[in-house]
Amino acid sequence: MATLVENPLVREIQTRALKPAGPCAMVIFGITGDLSKRLLLPALYNLATHGLLSEHFALVGFALSDITEEKLRETLAGTIREACGSECNLETIRWLVSHLHYVSSDFETASGWQKLHAVLDQVEAAEDLAGNYLFYLATAPEFFLPLVRRLAAEKLLDESGGHWRRVIIEKPFGHDLASARALNAELLKVVQDDLLYRIDHYLGKETVQNILVFRFANGIFEPIWNRRYIDHIQITVAESVGVERRGRYYDHTGALRDMVPNHLAQLLALTAMEPPASFSATALQNEQVKVLEAVPPIRPEECVACVVRGQYTEGMVSETMVAGYREEPFVDPNSQTETYVALKMAVDNWRWAGVPFFMRTGKRLHKRNTQVVVQFRNAPLSLFRRTGALPPRPNSLVLGIQPDENICLEFEGKVPGPVLETTTVRMDFDYGRHFRVEHRTGYETLLYDAMLGDRSLFKRADMIEAGWSVIQPILDAWAAGRGGELDRYGAGSEGPQAAEDMIHTGGRAWRPF
Ligand code: BG6
């Protein structure tokens, strides 16, 4: 989606590779919710701007809100304008919202479904959509299964007419391993797996996809991408936002469930996976599952040493005083829910045996930053020790995911001058400087791929379950009261001290963010 300005060859490749998706109606359940407004509609607008939506396209919203179609069109046009800033193309927004239709109903009432059928017939006749429907479940998770059952019962998932039908399911997919397994099993009773597109929006991020390209389109990194050369790996997903209006959901979820089995497990899988035999969805997914399956379960007695959980108290974030977690709306004033978690994990296979993987994520940290740090082993001999130079620091490779989108290799260099002194210097690749990237939400590629039927960037049932398997022993230990204390950390800090202590035990340190 990004436009490369510096390399005409790549621009030509992009233009050649991209063609509009085929005709379809996209039905968004929960179109009046936050996800649709903030991300899905702006993503559809971006696709339309790049000519990647078919001219034969209709958007159908289905939600409880009692508003008129006209009002919804107006509201969504406004949110797209807001998201895209001053450069937005009003003509494209008009085109998009003029293709929007609305069914106002709860998800159970028969009349709502009758109206949906009628709208689909109407848009089919008007737009010639070849009978292709993409359903997007942008709803609370309790509606996922009832909606898919209902879609099946209404014969809306039947592909026997030669058209396609696909269902995109948002997270959270279950709230633990058992519920994720049960949800998968129940879904598969009514729909074939290849119609299901389970989303992890991290896979829509260019910098996340680039982990694959960086590792497997270059010959120089793969030979050293293993236990012989790598000391440890750090994965940080730091957020400066708090729980915002989601206190009710979050207080029953916590940072571990909210972020680790999906987004952090995804970053771990891409960083640690073996080269796939091909770039097919199956080959890619097979290798990612293998990584997660190689993570040995954390034993209950390890839960104190290898897991830190924290909760923010009030503090200053970006020069603004913010409330502590327990003071947030809809949060229990005595809540024990963690808003921060740090873990020490392993990947027990030939490539990674003995290499610790440290992961941390938290809300209300001092800034937003997602990065994967590959910390190499030290040079075998400190050759310059007699010159008075400081001992060299180990090399690191930092994959900046967001908001800094960059890749940086840090190595030691000579300080100019007659005395031999060394210092750490950086080689930087910066997406923003190299590519001119327009505003994008990360959902563009995912929606486009779903319309093309490419599942490479979606999660298979076993990937979701493998993600939950990684954290299930911790959930069990916590439920049995075997986790350590809940550490409080001030909003605007780098997280609880216990996370620093955890990594220091091995003589290592978190990379500041
Ligand atoms: C969501 C979590 O899946 O990811 C949120 O539910 C979190 O709590 C969000 O804030 C982070 O996404 P991003 O793209 O901002 O890193």
Side-chain angles (χ1 to χ4, degrees):
M1 202 73 42
T3 319
L4 186 74
V5 285
E6 294 184 10
N7 188 334
L9 180 63
V10 179
R11 185 205 287 270
E12 190 199 316
I13 291 169
Q14 286 187 323
T15 319
R16 247 190 294 139
L18 294 179
K19 53 180 175 25
C24 75
M26 178 170 169
V27 181
I28 303 183
F29 292 94
I31 195 161
T32 50
D34 222 40
L35 176 74
S36 301
K37 288 189 194 149
R38 274 192 314 113
L39 299 166
L40 300 183
L41 267 293
L44 286 172
Y45 162 82
N46 285 340
L47 286 177
T49 308
H50 286 84
L52 296 177
L53 280 188
S54 171
E55 286 176 2
H56 301 277
F57 176 76
L59 182 60
V60 181
F62 194 134
L64 189 56
S65 302
D66 183 20
I67 48 169
T68 62
E69 199 163 85
E70 222 23 68
K71 181 75 197 153
L72 182 63
R73 286 180 175 173
E74 214 177 278
T75 310
L76 293 179
T79 56
I80 299 172
R81 273 199 304 273
E82 224 172 85
C84 303
S86 55
E87 308 239 306
C88 68
N89 181 332
L90 295 176
E91 195 46 47
T92 308
I93 299 181
R94 266 195 292 278
W95 177 85
L96 187 59
V97 297
S98 71
H99 285 71
L100 169 70
H101 306 266
Y102 184 52
V103 177
S104 161
S105 164
D106 61 49
F107 300 143
E108 279 152 31
T109 311
S111 60
W113 288 88
Q114 281 157 11
K115 174 131 190 252
L116 177 63
H117 281 288
V119 170
L120 287 172
D121 290 346
Q122 177 199 327
V123 292
E124 183 64 61
E127 307 287 348
D128 193 8
L129 303 171
N132 300 327
Y133 301 157
L134 176 63
F135 298 102
Y136 199 118
L137 311 189
T139 66
E142 62 265 29
F143 295 114
F144 295 166
L145 184 56
L147 275 171
V148 174
R149 281 186 178 142
R150 187 68 183 251
L151 286 169
E154 298 284 334
K155 303 265 178 290
L156 287 167
L157 300 181
D158 183 351
E159 292 191 313
S160 56
H163 45 247
W164 56 255
R165 302 291 160 89
R166 294 170 193 147
V167 186
I168 301 184
I169 304 187
E170 264 296 330
K171 74 172 269 275
F173 198 97
H175 61 271
D176 58 11
L177 178 58
S179 58
R181 277 188 181 144
L183 180 54
N184 273 323
E186 289 302 315
L187 287 170
L188 295 178
K189 284 183 188 164
V190 293
V191 61
Q192 293 152 240
D193 188 53
D194 58 0
L195 268 56
L196 294 178
Y197 287 63
R198 301 173 189 82
I199 222 164
D200 178 339
H201 77 278
Y202 266 53
L203 277 168
K205 296 181 193 284
E206 295 284 345
T207 43
V208 172
Q209 293 168 30
N210 192 49
I211 298 176
L212 278 178
V213 177
F214 179 79
R215 290 193 54 203
F216 302 130
N218 296 299
I220 58 173
F221 302 107
E222 212 39 37
I224 54 169
W225 207 263
N226 57 49
R227 64 190 301 275
R228 238 185 283 160
Y229 299 97
I230 292 177
D231 177 75
H232 73 276
I233 297 217
Q234 297 179 14
I235 299 176
T236 296
V237 181
E239 297 187 273
S240 55
V241 292
V243 289
E244 304 184 301
R245 286 168 292 157
R246 299 162 73 221
R248 205 174 272 127
Y249 155 80
Y250 197 87
D251 211 29
H252 291 105
T253 306
L256 181 65
R257 284 186 165 95
D258 188 41
M259 298 295 285
V260 180
N262 34 66
H263 310 324
L264 277 89
Q266 188 57 60
L267 293 173
L268 168 70
L270 294 172
T271 306
M273 69 192 266
E274 294 300 316
S278 74
F279 205 58
S280 74
T282 309
L284 284 165
Q285 290 164 344
N286 284 348
E287 295 307 333
Q288 292 175 52
V289 172
K290 281 190 216 162
V291 173
L292 300 178
E293 287 178 348
V295 174
I298 291 186
R299 292 193 298 274
E301 62 275 18
E302 292 172 327
C303 259
V304 175
C306 299
V307 185
V308 170
R309 53 183 175 144
Q311 187 188 72
Y312 62 84
T313 56
E314 66 172 10
M316 295 283 278
V317 180
S318 311
E319 295 173 15
T320 306
M321 195 66 186
V322 297
Y325 176 67
R326 291 179 185 172
E327 285 81 61
E328 298 276 19
F330 309 114
V331 169
D332 176 354
N334 297 311
S335 174
Q336 293 296 309
T337 300
E338 80 290 351
T339 58
Y340 176 101
V341 68
L343 310 163
K344 179 183 176 198
M345 317 209 95
V347 176
D348 271 357
N349 60 22
W350 273 56
R351 186 187 284 263
W352 297 115
V355 177
F357 284 74
F358 297 98
M359 311 211 276
R360 60 180 167 167
T361 181
K363 295 211 181 277
R364 282 286 187 232
L365 297 172
H366 79 107
K367 68 189 241 223
R368 179 171 186 240
N369 186 287
T370 298
Q371 60 180 20
V372 177
V373 179
V374 179
Q375 179 82 61
F376 292 95
R377 287 183 189 281
N378 234 328
L381 181 70
S382 188
L383 199 57
F384 304 108
R385 64 187 182 282
R386 294 211 182 87
T387 66
L390 291 173
R393 291 195 352 185
N395 306 132
S396 3
L397 179 78
V398 183
L399 307 176
I401 307 292
Q402 65 184 20
D404 303 328
E405 300 185 321
N406 54 14
I407 296 179
C408 162
L409 181 65
E410 290 184 348
F411 55 95
E412 298 296 282
K414 181 182 175 303
V415 179
V419 180
L420 203 149
E421 277 190 64
T422 61
T423 189
T424 303
V425 294
R426 303 156 58 103
M427 240 157 45
D428 252 321
F429 157 69
D430 184 292
Y431 268 79
R433 273 206 304 271
H434 192 81
F435 300 104
R436 192 183 61 197
V437 185
E438 297 122 346
H439 172 84
R440 62 212 141 89
T441 67
Y443 277 76
E444 289 82 358
T445 316
L446 299 173
L447 294 178
Y448 179 67
D449 282 1
M451 289 174 193
L452 293 183
D454 182 345
R455 298 170 84 215
S456 316
L457 296 178
F458 292 86
K459 297 239 185 181
R460 240 169 29 193
D462 56 351
M463 289 170 81
I464 301 255
E465 291 172 18
W468 280 112
S469 299
V470 168
I471 67 154
Q472 189 60 48
I474 305 170
L475 293 173
D476 292 341
W478 286 359
R482 297 198 65 176
E485 291 295 302
L486 182 68
D487 287 290
R488 313 293 295 283
Y489 61 97
S493 68
E494 287 211 10
Q497 179 57 37
E500 305 294 333
D501 300 342
M502 177 181 85
I503 195 167
H504 284 164
T505 310
R508 300 165 175 118
W510 291 108
R511 184 187 174 84
F513 61 91

